[in-house]
Amino acid sequence: MSSGRTLRGSCHCGRNKYTIQVPTDASETARVLFDSTASHRIPSATPLSAFLRVPLQWYHSQIFSFFPDESRASIRRVYSDPAEHNALRQFCGFCGTPLSYWSENPRSEADYIQITLRSLLIEDLRDLEELGLVPAESEQEAMHITPARAPSQEPQLIGRETTSIPWFENMILGSRLGNIRTTRGLHESRDGRIRVEYEITEWTGDNAADDDELVEASGSVATGKRKRGETDEGGDGNTA
C-alpha cells in the first residue's frame, strides 16, 4: 500500500480515537456511502446514515480512560441486533457516539469496516472529495440528499471546528435541505466551571406567498382579539 493521507476521528468525549491510513490510490477501494434503510436509520437515529467504507487493515483505533475505574469494555461498547446477528456496531459507552458498523453479510464485506462519517474530524471530512472518496455527481443526483450548512466558527470539544464542508454543501444545493442553516457554538465561564454548548437549526421556505398568507392570517386573528370580559351581546355594544 503506497503512502497517502491519514484521516483522524473520535467520539464526542474523546475516549475513543482512531486513524485511517488512506493510500494514494484509494478511490477504487474506499467510498463514502449513504444509507436510508431501516437497519441503519433506527440505530443511528437519523433518516440518513453516512459512512466511510474502508478495508479493515487501514483502520487503527485506541481507547483512553479518563478515570481508573473505566474499563475497555465500558469505553468501547459493541451491539449486535438479534435480527442482524452477522453485524456489529461500535459506539462510545460514555458519550454514546456511533463509531462503526461491520458486517459479514455478504462474506466479502467482512474485510471492510464502515466508519460513521460525522465522527471524522471536520478538516479531514473536507479532504474526502480530494481523495476521490465522495460519490460521483450522477450518484448524488440519484440520492437527492445531503446535509446542512454549519457556518459558525466556534470551537467544539477535542479540537473540532464547526465549519462548512464544501462537497456536502454542493450536494444539497438546490434541494429542500439547501434551505437549512445550522449554527453551533460553545461558551465557557471565566472560572471554567460552567460550559454551555448549543446548536440552532433554521429552515427558510422558498415560497414567499406562503409567508404572505401567514402574515394575513396572523393579522386577521390579531384584529379579532379582545380583552377578557368583553362580549358580543347587543348590536349597539350595550351589555345587559
Side-chain angles (χ1 to χ4, degrees), residues 3-28:
S3 60
R5 176 79 159 79
T6 299
L7 302 178
R8 300 152 299 160
S10 74
C11 63
H12 187 63
C13 69
R15 287 178 171 86
N16 293 275
K17 295 186 179 182
Y18 64 85
T19 59
I20 303 172
Q21 300 293 335
V22 181
T24 53
D25 52 351
S27 58
E28 296 299 320

Side-chain angles (χ1 to χ4, degrees), residues 34-140:
F34 296 94
D35 196 310
S36 60
T37 60
S39 61
H40 283 306
R41 186 175 67 247
I42 297 174
S44 301
T46 177
L48 177 65
S49 299
F51 299 93
L52 175 60
R53 175 182 177 270
V54 299
L56 274 170
Q57 60 183 355
W58 296 5
Y59 176 73
H60 306 277
S61 63
Q62 289 181 290
I63 62 169
F64 298 88
S65 59
F66 292 174
F67 299 97
D69 60 344
E70 295 178 359
S71 66
R72 181 182 183 87
S74 66
I75 294 175
R76 180 172 302 158
R77 304 296 299 274
V78 180
Y79 174 71
S80 179
D81 192 310
E84 199 180 23
H85 60 274
N86 54 6
L88 299 175
R89 298 180 186 274
Q90 290 187 338
F91 63 96
C92 177
F94 286 83
C95 66
T97 302
L99 295 168
S100 66
Y101 170 78
W102 175 87
S103 174
E104 57 181 355
N105 184 24
R107 181 62 185 85
S108 57
E109 278 298 301
D111 296 329
Y112 294 85
I113 188 170
Q114 296 183 26
I115 309 302
T116 54
L117 209 58
R118 196 55 188 92
S119 64
L120 283 168
L121 295 186
I122 191 72
E123 54 267 36
D124 292 345
L125 269 175
R126 287 199 296 264
D127 292 342
L128 294 183
E129 184 176 33
E130 182 181 339
L131 292 170
L133 306 182
V134 178
E137 185 175 350
S138 58
E139 297 177 67
Q140 296 174 20

Side-chain angles (χ1 to χ4, degrees), residues 163-179:
T163 56
S164 61
I165 304 170
W167 60 266
F168 249 11
E169 294 187 355
N170 289 335
M171 290 173 72
I172 62 171
L173 189 62
S175 70
R176 293 182 63 190
L177 289 177
N179 298 322

Side-chain angles (χ1 to χ4, degrees), residues 210-225:
D210 292 343
D211 296 336
D212 294 338
E213 291 177 4
L214 288 174
V215 171
E216 292 176 4
S218 61
S220 63
V221 172
T223 56
K225 288 183 178 178

